[in-house]
Amino acid sequence: MGKSAVDMALAAYGLAWKAALPLLKYNSRLKEGWSQRTLSEGEPAPADLWIQAASGGEAYLAWEVLKHLESPWSRSLRVLTTTNTLQGFQTLLRAAEEINGRKNGLAVQPWYFPFDEPNLMRRMAARVRPRLAVILETEIWPGFLHACKRQGVPVLLANGRMSTKSLGGYLAWPGLFRALAPDRIMAVSETDGRRFGTLFGRDRVWIMPNIKFDRMGDASPMPRASNPLRDLIPARAPFVVFGSVRKEEEHDAILLAKGLMSKRSGTVLGLFPRHMHHMDLWRKGVEGAGLNWTLRSRLTGPAAPGTVVLWDSFGELVPAYGLATAAFVGGSLAPLGGQNFLEPLTSGVTPVTGPHWKNFAWVGRDILASGLAVEAKDWREALESLIKIIDGPPARKDVAEAAKQYIRDRRGGAEAVSKQVADFLK
């Protein structure tokens, strides 16, 4: 795509933003940080490095990268970190407090990512004047990329992921995105790398370890004596956790629960809905299946064997995994992308998941081949797998140690990105 065609495309893009901005004022999620998103009440300080992290998850990745950065000069390395969401901004504030408190040659300033209206982005880039911009995961904003090109700022896309659906959307205008391509792309898998290569050119793409492995500490199983839920779960009854189950898979999850309680009637089943406001849906489901149930908030002592405990208290899923004999991880019996099955694994429990876990594909299918996790094609297979684990649970410490080794072998992403940043800055 020639220069004039790119300019025309960006002009049309800018007009769309101008039409949208007055309406965005009424979006409750965008009110927070509005003045920074629009640069209406000031601008950030100039920086050597600009790191864009879309939301909370990417902000944690940015935090990991910051831990590995060093200034290549005698003065401090000035870093601007930006995000699109309140959760991301709060995470970046905590990261800045930690990194700045270390006084190790970094000065970090959090800011909301401006709206991608081309004029706003040109103003932002001209003000910040970074030597390098880093995008984490898949933040392909035309206004931002064009502003960096005009300012002569190289762009590194790190920890890159791209779905087939996203690639199809970008390929609707391939010339524009090829013209605005990042200078270097570090993808987290060969599959993601091929997709980025299709859009931007294979010569720009490298493969790196996923920074998400760096974020995972060497978790160990929580001893029962120190587990805050120890008085609620009888020590001699099998305890099975259904973690983060979703509304859309309620039918299959209830069938799974009914089958489990029928085949192993002395089990205590802890059912943790992903969204607490759907608790009434799950109550009706277990009642309709004829299952004995209670709310976690009603427990004053050990749950009776043969009971489904509807967990209506926040923040107790990980301690529950610490007591579980077996675990099914939800969001996976319907095409929802799955939930975090590494949590039970690092607690020493072999997780069973349904076939839909694309949001955690970065973990790699090696985790199935190694036997650290089990994938079931439907609720019936999930039931068979849970029964097998209940009847012969592997030693918790052995599962946790194997999980730790799997994670250790895949770390190094944040360090790889920091080395690339150093090369650009030098």
Side-chain angles (χ1 to χ4, degrees):
M1 180 179 281
K3 183 176 183 298
S4 60
V6 170
D7 289 341
M8 288 175 61
L10 283 165
Y13 181 68
L15 287 173
W17 268 105
K18 281 181 167 45
L21 280 173
L23 301 176
L24 294 178
K25 278 188 175 182
Y26 300 100
N27 186 308
S28 58
R29 291 185 299 172
L30 298 177
K31 285 182 179 179
E32 186 71 34
W34 181 265
S35 62
Q36 292 188 5
R37 298 178 196 273
T38 58
L39 304 180
S40 58
E41 295 180 11
E43 299 163 341
D48 304 300
L49 176 64
W50 179 355
I51 301 178
Q52 161 59 6
S55 59
E58 292 84 355
Y60 278 111
L61 303 185
W63 197 338
E64 289 297 323
V65 173
L66 289 169
K67 292 176 184 177
H68 288 78
L69 289 178
E70 296 179 356
S71 176
W73 312 294
S74 57
R75 64 169 176 82
S76 293
L77 173 66
R78 300 167 303 177
V79 184
L80 172 69
T81 56
T82 57
T83 185
N84 303 69
T85 69
L86 175 59
Q87 182 186 19
F89 189 71
Q90 291 171 338
T91 302
L92 292 179
L93 285 173
R94 295 199 304 274
E97 182 179 7
E98 178 193 279
I99 301 299
N100 293 338
R102 290 181 178 182
K103 298 181 180 179
N104 63 344
L106 266 68
V108 181
Q109 178 186 17
W111 197 268
Y112 277 98
F113 192 63
F115 292 121
D116 199 50
E117 195 275 318
N119 288 326
L120 268 180
M121 277 300 177
R122 282 195 288 269
R123 182 178 156 194
M124 180 78 164
R127 166 63 178 172
V128 177
R129 302 192 308 278
R131 295 168 181 257
L132 173 68
V134 176
I135 304 169
L136 290 171
E137 303 226 328
T138 311
E139 281 287 281
I140 304 175
W141 292 100
F144 169 76
L145 291 171
H146 187 249
C148 288
K149 293 284 183 188
R150 282 175 56 103
Q151 197 69 26
V153 178
V155 176
L156 169 65
L157 192 156
N159 221 67
R161 298 185 303 144
M162 181 178 289
S163 67
T164 303
K165 182 178 179 181
S166 295
L167 176 61
Y170 294 128
L171 287 176
W173 214 334
L176 174 64
F177 289 104
R178 182 64 65 92
L180 301 177
D183 296 80
R184 187 169 298 167
I185 297 154
M186 301 175 72
V188 294
S189 72
E190 291 289 349
T191 300
D192 290 295
R194 284 193 294 271
R195 291 170 185 152
F196 279 111
T198 299
L199 183 61
F200 294 127
R202 191 66 180 89
D203 59 319
R204 300 173 184 265
V205 181
W206 296 24
I207 307 300
M208 63 169 283
N210 197 312
I211 301 173
K212 290 178 180 177
F213 284 112
D214 292 328
R215 284 199 59 228
M216 302 178 65
D218 290 326
S220 297
M222 183 184 299
R224 183 179 181 91
S226 59
N227 194 301
L229 304 180
R230 64 187 180 278
D231 294 333
L232 303 182
I233 306 302
R236 296 186 180 182
F239 177 45
V240 179
V241 171
F242 282 16
S244 299
V245 287
R246 302 273 297 273
K247 170 186 175 183
E248 295 85 348
E249 61 186 348
E250 182 261 347
H251 177 266
D252 285 355
I254 292 297
L255 290 174
L256 177 58
K258 184 176 181 180
L260 179 65
M261 302 307 280
S262 172
K263 290 180 178 293
R264 296 295 180 271
S265 57
T267 296
V268 174
L269 171 58
L271 192 152
F272 288 73
R274 178 69 178 87
H275 299 110
M276 201 69 74
H277 59 274
H278 290 147
M279 188 64 70
D280 197 50
L281 171 84
W282 293 101
R283 178 187 61 76
K284 291 177 180 177
V286 295
E287 281 183 350
L291 298 175
N292 183 37
W293 68 275
T294 188
L295 292 173
R296 183 267 182 253
S297 58
R298 292 178 184 167
L299 289 177
T300 56
T307 302
V308 177
V309 181
L310 298 178
W311 226 272
D312 58 346
S313 299
F314 285 105
E316 295 184 339
L317 179 56
V318 172
Y321 283 141
L323 295 172
T325 311
F328 167 74
V329 182
S332 60
L333 288 175
L336 301 165
Q339 297 295 149
N340 189 355
F341 55 80
L342 293 174
E343 287 180 339
L345 188 56
T346 54
S347 297
V349 182
T350 303
V352 177
T353 180
H356 305 286
W357 50 283
K358 68 177 183 179
N359 290 349
F360 292 85
W362 55 270
V363 174
R365 295 192 69 83
D366 289 346
I367 204 162
L368 303 177
S370 66
L372 283 171
V374 178
E375 179 186 79
K377 70 179 181 181
D378 54 26
W379 71 267
R380 293 178 180 85
E381 272 197 7
L383 176 59
E384 292 174 8
S385 298
L386 288 172
I387 294 296
K388 185 176 179 181
I389 294 170
I390 291 169
D391 290 349
R396 189 179 293 274
K397 64 178 182 178
D398 293 342
V399 173
E401 186 54 45
K404 280 196 276 188
Q405 190 58 54
Y406 186 92
I407 292 165
R408 286 192 203 109
D409 291 345
R410 287 157 179 80
R411 287 177 177 166
E415 185 176 1
V417 173
S418 70
K419 288 179 179 178
Q420 291 296 314
V421 169
D423 286 346
F424 273 105
L425 294 178
K426 289 174 183 176

